[in-house]
């Protein structure tokens, strides 16, 4: 069932609103996926805050025109599912992780920071830890020297206490 002009304009407006907030675009070919698999993929996307939709390529190209995602227009060919995310790695991670477990979903490309990504680029982006994990790692690095200093001071205090007794 095709969309009329007003419905197409509404789709472009909705996708453009998502594009305005997004940092990352990930594209994947979904040919051969069952409805159950697509529903599982959509559920994972919702849980991670990813806008994931099957769109007509011409409407998607119109929605990204004039944005940093326009560089990915060349990859918008065939039956694609589009993932947009505000988190820099969420869209790539959802699609790449699902593709690992399902050979019918094929990562085609994407865009990040105004640069087009090929399939390997999307997979590399997906391998980067999430923002929360990176913050936890930095906090751990900051805590480590202080914790070591406290351990040394405690050992010195214990040694001094043992020497006086």
């Amino acid at each position: 069932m095709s969309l009329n002009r007003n419905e197409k304009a509404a789709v472009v407006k909705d996708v453009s609103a998502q594009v305005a907030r997004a940092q990352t675009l990930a594209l994947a070919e979904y040919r051969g996926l069952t409805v159950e698999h697509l529903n599982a993929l959509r559920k994972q996307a919702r849980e991670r805050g990813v806008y994931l939709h099957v769109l007509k390529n011409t409407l998607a190209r119109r929605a990204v025109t004039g944005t940093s995602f326009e560089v990915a227009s060349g990859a918008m060919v065939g039956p694609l599912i589009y993932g947009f995310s505000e988190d820099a790695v969420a869209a790539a991670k959802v699609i790449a992780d699902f593709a690992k477990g399902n050979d019918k979903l094929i990562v085609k490309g994407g865009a990040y920071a105004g640069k087009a990504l090929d399939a390997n680029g999307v997979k590399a982006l997906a391998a980067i830890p999430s923002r929360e994990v990176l913050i936890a790692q930095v906090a751990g690095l900051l805590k480590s020297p202080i914790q070591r200093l406290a351990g040394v001071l405690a050992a010195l205090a214990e040694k001094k206490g043992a020497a006086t007794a």
Side-chain angles (χ1 to χ4, degrees):
M1 187 167 125
S2 64
L3 303 173
N4 67 31
R5 187 180 191 107
N6 293 334
E7 292 169 332
K8 289 178 183 179
V11 168
V12 170
K13 183 179 179 183
D14 182 40
V15 174
S16 295
Q18 293 298 325
V19 167
R21 291 190 300 258
Q23 287 188 33
T24 306
L25 164 65
L27 307 169
E29 186 175 314
Y30 65 94
R31 186 178 293 150
L33 282 179
T34 64
V35 172
E36 291 174 13
H37 288 126
L38 279 174
N39 286 339
L41 177 60
R42 286 183 174 123
K43 182 180 178 197
Q44 289 176 9
R46 272 192 307 272
E47 289 170 355
R48 295 190 184 175
V50 176
Y51 176 84
L52 189 72
H53 276 281
V54 173
L55 300 167
K56 289 185 67 125
N57 295 327
T58 53
L59 298 179
R61 280 190 210 104
R62 283 185 197 155
V64 300
T65 300
T67 68
S68 62
F69 300 121
E70 190 170 12
V71 296
S73 293
M76 294 179 184
V77 178
L80 297 176
I81 193 160
Y82 293 81
F84 294 97
S85 66
E86 293 179 35
D87 182 1
V89 297
K93 196 174 285 285
V94 165
I95 288 178
D97 288 350
F98 194 83
K100 286 178 190 174
N102 193 321
D103 61 342
K104 302 250 190 238
L105 186 72
I106 301 167
V107 178
K108 287 295 185 177
Y112 174 70
K115 293 187 170 82
L117 301 173
D118 61 355
N120 291 329
V122 172
K123 290 175 185 174
L125 186 62
I128 296 172
S130 69
R131 182 176 187 264
E132 291 79 18
V133 171
L134 290 173
I135 289 172
Q137 289 174 347
V138 168
L141 288 173
L142 293 174
K143 181 181 126 186
S144 179
I146 296 168
Q147 192 173 15
R148 288 183 186 163
L149 177 64
V152 169
L153 292 176
L156 285 173
E158 185 178 309
K159 185 177 179 183
K160 187 176 181 180
T164 58

